[in-house]
Amino acid sequence: MSSSDNSSSNEETPSTDEVATETRTQTENPRTGTDTETETETETETETETETEEQPEISGWPMFQSDQANSGITAESGPSGGVSEYWAFQTGEDIHSSPAVVDGTVYVGSNDESVYALNAATGEKQWEYSTDSSVESSPAVVAGTVYIGSNDTTVYALDAATGKEEWSFSTGGPVQTDPVVSEGTVYIGSDDANLYAIDAATGDQQWAFHTDGDITASPAVYDGRVFFGSLDYHLYAVDAATGDQQWSVEAESYIRSAPAVADNTVYFGEGGGIVYAIAVDTGEQQWSFDTGGPVWGSPAVTEDSVYIGSYHSSTTRNVYAIRGDSGDQRWDKPLNSPIPVSPAVIDGTVYLGTVRGNLHALETYTGDREWDFQLGSRIHSSPAVADKRIYLGSGDTLYALTEQEQ
């Protein structure tokens, strides 16, 4: 890995042949920032607190990975013991969006081109907003507004209570990334290779930062900086107010993993399987860890550990616990199915889904299985945890899972 103060390009094209269970077809080189990715899937495998410096003043799970730093943790309580289905809501297509939970409502996008608001207690639909393409972006819900992207190249701001559009913002490509809202600004990336800063109240552009590849993963905001990866193999740090680049580091492969930030360190994975720890202020590498398979999900970061899964064909379908200070492995646990999503860590438990449709609960200190729950369809949605319930998408259905009655 190299570090620089200016963005740079890399002529190598991200490889996808390591991913055995998904075949991705792209119309152009991912580095151009203009490709549209389609996906067909063939099942081949067999089943064998930390506090960030900026937190939304809101309870629940208001955005992807819980907060502006993508920590994947929360002060909310998760279910104790096993879980059972509380309710299920079926959409028209698969759900790749990760839900947000705020004030008794669950918000999620679907590939059926809609954004949904559901009653968290009953699963009853409160409203539905239709876009012009699939919604893989995850919602961020702040101050009564839902912010979300769509593959129709648009970022939407919707009234959280009614679903009425407040404003929309057009980009030059599909918007798969998850927005982060901080200090009145929405930060979101696009397949047009730009990261945008948008006024949360008006939808006006504040600035845009251009890279040499699509931006497909959520940014993180921490201590006045925005951190984000690109398919151009670089992780960037830019000033949150101006968009001026502060530093960039070059990884060995494309970056689809959203960074997580804690204790002045940025943690992220890349397509070659390496997890990096980078100093917030300087961009200097503190350590790296090789998972052996592509890393697509964001890490979850606690006071002493980094938890992350690997997406591979047969040998490294593992979730790892890594020491945050040294990069040494604490434990790893094979889950026998690729892991395309991000973990959530609550009350000493790691919750993590797999392509095969299993939700796993692992003990944080040992990695021992606490329970598994079979949802039945592929999971491309990271879990949200609030009010002792777990919310996530599997196939075309959003599930609410609750504590199993004894």
Side-chain angles (χ1 to χ4, degrees):
M1 168 180 283
S2 62
S3 176
S4 66
D5 292 328
N6 299 301
S7 61
S8 61
S9 62
N10 189 313
E11 297 303 321
E12 194 176 347
T13 301
S15 171
T16 56
D17 58 7
E18 294 175 315
V19 184
T21 57
E22 294 192 17
T23 302
R24 295 181 173 264
T25 304
Q26 296 179 324
T27 59
E28 296 187 27
N29 188 321
R31 291 173 175 276
T32 65
T34 58
D35 69 305
T36 300
E37 185 177 85
T38 60
E39 176 177 291
T40 59
E41 299 177 329
T42 304
E43 187 73 30
T44 58
E45 70 266 24
T46 55
E47 182 105 29
T48 13
E49 181 145 274
T50 67
E51 295 182 353
T52 62
E53 298 203 4
E54 296 179 354
Q55 290 279 5
E57 295 180 1
I58 200 163
S59 63
W61 193 277
M63 61 187 71
F64 174 74
Q65 289 300 92
S66 179
D67 56 35
Q68 300 164 352
N70 297 334
S71 71
I73 65 172
T74 179
E76 297 271 329
S77 295
S80 58
V83 294
S84 59
E85 182 181 311
Y86 191 61
W87 54 255
F89 178 86
Q90 189 171 22
T91 71
E93 296 287 347
D94 282 355
I95 297 173
H96 287 214
S97 174
S98 299
V101 186
V102 174
D103 295 335
T105 301
V106 185
Y107 303 89
V108 73
S110 171
N111 286 0
D112 68 3
E113 305 186 355
S114 291
V115 182
Y116 294 91
L118 310 174
N119 185 297
T122 65
E124 180 181 359
K125 183 170 72 172
Q126 296 179 344
W127 53 257
E128 176 181 354
Y129 180 88
S130 296
T131 73
D132 291 325
S133 188
S134 57
V135 182
E136 298 181 69
S137 174
S138 303
V141 186
V142 176
T145 299
V146 181
Y147 303 93
I148 196 166
S150 170
N151 285 344
D152 65 7
T153 75
T154 305
V155 181
Y156 294 94
L158 310 175
D159 183 275
T162 65
K164 181 180 178 180
E165 182 180 313
E166 297 178 353
W167 54 255
S168 62
F169 177 88
S170 295
T171 76
V175 182
Q176 303 177 51
T177 60
D178 314 314
V180 173
V181 184
S182 176
E183 303 293 330
T185 300
V186 181
Y187 301 95
I188 193 166
S190 170
D191 279 11
D192 67 6
N194 287 310
L195 183 86
Y196 293 95
I198 307 168
D199 186 286
T202 66
D204 294 333
Q205 179 176 312
Q206 296 177 342
W207 53 257
F209 183 92
H210 187 72
T211 73
D212 292 328
D214 298 357
I215 299 172
T216 63
S218 174
V221 179
Y222 180 94
D223 195 24
R225 298 178 179 90
V226 185
F227 304 91
F228 60 98
S230 169
L231 295 191
D232 70 3
Y233 291 29
H234 286 79
L235 182 84
Y236 296 92
V238 302
D239 184 278
T242 66
D244 293 336
Q245 180 173 313
Q246 297 190 348
W247 51 257
S248 70
V249 294
E250 184 175 0
E252 296 182 11
S253 186
Y254 60 91
I255 301 173
R256 295 179 53 142
S257 169
V261 192
D263 296 328
N264 294 310
T265 303
V266 186
Y267 304 94
F268 72 98
E270 44 93 280
I274 308 298
V275 178
Y276 294 100
I278 305 295
V280 161
D281 292 331
T282 64
E284 293 181 2
Q285 180 177 313
Q286 297 179 343
W287 51 257
S288 64
F289 179 90
D290 189 356
T291 70
V295 176
W296 289 2
S298 177
V301 184
T302 66
E303 189 174 50
D304 57 3
S305 298
V306 178
Y307 301 90
I308 197 162
S310 173
Y311 191 127
H312 207 283
S313 57
S314 59
T315 56
T316 55
R317 304 162 174 183
N318 291 5
V319 57
Y320 296 88
I322 308 166
R323 287 183 57 93
D325 56 356
S326 65
D328 294 333
Q329 180 175 307
R330 289 185 52 217
W331 52 258
D332 70 312
K333 182 67 64 174
L335 298 184
N336 300 319
S337 181
I339 305 166
V341 297
S342 306
V345 181
I346 293 94
D347 289 341
T349 300
V350 183
Y351 301 104
L352 189 64
T354 67
V355 161
R356 198 162 181 82
N358 286 298
L359 178 66
H360 300 274
L362 309 176
E363 202 277 330
T364 55
Y365 186 73
T366 63
D368 291 342
R369 274 187 170 88
E370 296 181 352
W371 50 261
D372 298 333
F373 188 84
Q374 176 64 44
L375 289 166
S377 298
R378 291 173 177 268
I379 295 174
H380 291 280
S381 171
S382 299
V385 182
D387 301 321
K388 293 189 176 181
R389 290 194 286 267
I390 302 171
Y391 304 89
L392 81 163
S394 173
D396 63 0
T397 303
L398 185 75
Y399 290 91
L401 307 178
T402 192
E403 290 183 4
Q404 197 170 49
E405 293 186 5
Q406 301 298 320

